[in-house]
Amino acid sequence: MNYSAAYETSLACFQQTSIEEIAQFSGYPVLDHQIQVNFLGQQFTVEHPSGRFEPEPQLEGELPIFARILILHYLANKSPASENGKFISYKELPGGGIYIQPFTNRAIRPMIQFFGERPERLIDVAKPMGGLPAKLGDAGVTLKVFPKVPVTLVLWGADEEFSASGNILFDGSAPEFLPTEDYAVLASFVVMTLKKYGEQINSADR
């Protein structure tokens, strides 16, 4: 998929948002027009208004363009809302029920395929990225992907009757911060990142 047009649109929205608004609403520290971003364990500054990332990603795998679009979308958001502590699934997001099957294929199934046999590994892999255990399922973990956007991954291991299963949950305030389609991309990227770290740990253990 060509994300170039979406990137240009997200950059324009970011540039139309003042640095004062970003400092007020994003939850990120701002110093001299530099926004200090922690994104899934990666540290960046985003310069305003240029939208330049430092260090500038050198390889697409380090911070794909769609991840930069998500970051710019979040930084341009001006909602004063806060987390409400209520879990909702993707199908409970506005219009989410229509796209639940693609969401399941892109995010939930890969999570189950990689972590389903040993759900406890999900917590271990997420910890270096700031993941905190959640008391859900056989293993659950919450990642603050953005300061106001937690994502909770839940797994149930297989037993004699049922195969492994899982879900990805959001805070009830989620619609205030990003459009529904962004949460599909976000959840998929979270799972992809966890899988990559998990594979690195497996290789180091051999």
Side-chain angles (χ1 to χ4, degrees), residues 32-51:
D32 296 332
H33 289 258
Q34 300 282 339
I35 304 144
Q36 313 297 313
V37 174
N38 182 327
F39 183 70
L40 294 176
Q42 298 186 67
Q43 305 290 331
F44 296 95
T45 61
V46 181
E47 183 182 71
H48 187 277
S50 72

Side-chain angles (χ1 to χ4, degrees), residues 78-93:
K78 296 186 278 289
S79 172
S82 300
E83 295 172 44
N84 62 29
K86 175 187 175 183
F87 288 118
I88 60 172
S89 65
Y90 187 80
K91 67 182 179 181
E92 294 174 275
L93 292 169

Side-chain angles (χ1 to χ4, degrees), residues 10 27 45 57 73 82 92 132 138-139 147 159 168 170 184 191:
S10 65
T45 61
H73 280 179
S82 300
E92 294 174 275
L132 297 175
D138 293 327
D159 58 25
I168 298 176
F170 307 95
V191 172

Side-chain angles (χ1 to χ4, degrees), residues 30-185:
V30 176
L31 180 64
D32 296 332
H33 289 258
Q34 300 282 339
I35 304 144
Q36 313 297 313
V37 174
N38 182 327
F39 183 70
L40 294 176
Q42 298 186 67
Q43 305 290 331
F44 296 95
T45 61
V46 181
E47 183 182 71
H48 187 277
S50 72
R52 178 177 174 83
F53 284 72
E54 287 287 349
E56 183 70 20
Q58 298 300 311
L59 299 172
E60 182 67 10
E62 293 180 359
L63 192 68
I65 188 171
F66 60 78
R68 280 175 269 177
I69 291 170
L70 291 172
I71 293 170
L72 292 174
H73 280 179
Y74 178 79
L75 293 175
N77 182 274
K78 296 186 278 289
S79 172
S82 300
E83 295 172 44
N84 62 29
K86 175 187 175 183
F87 288 118
I88 60 172
S89 65
Y90 187 80
K91 67 182 179 181
E92 294 174 275
L93 292 169
I98 300 172
Y99 300 105
I100 188 61
Q101 196 60 49
F103 175 81
T104 300
N105 292 337
R106 292 179 62 179
I108 296 177
R109 284 184 178 169
M111 176 184 69
I112 295 168
Q113 289 169 355
F114 191 76
F115 293 103
E117 291 186 4
R118 293 175 55 196
E120 70 280 357
R121 290 179 62 249
L122 176 66
I123 299 173
D124 296 335
V125 172
K127 189 174 181 180
M129 289 186 283
L132 297 175
K135 295 181 179 179
L136 295 168
D138 293 327
V141 66
T142 297
L143 286 157
K144 273 290 189 73
V145 183
F146 296 119
K148 295 183 178 182
V149 179
V151 176
T152 299
L153 295 87
V154 187
L155 281 169
W156 290 267
D159 58 25
E160 294 180 356
E161 296 184 38
F162 300 101
S163 57
S165 61
N167 205 352
I168 298 176
L169 305 173
F170 307 95
D171 188 80
S173 62
E176 297 286 339
F177 303 111
L178 292 170
T180 296
E181 54 267 29
D182 276 9
Y183 285 105
V185 178

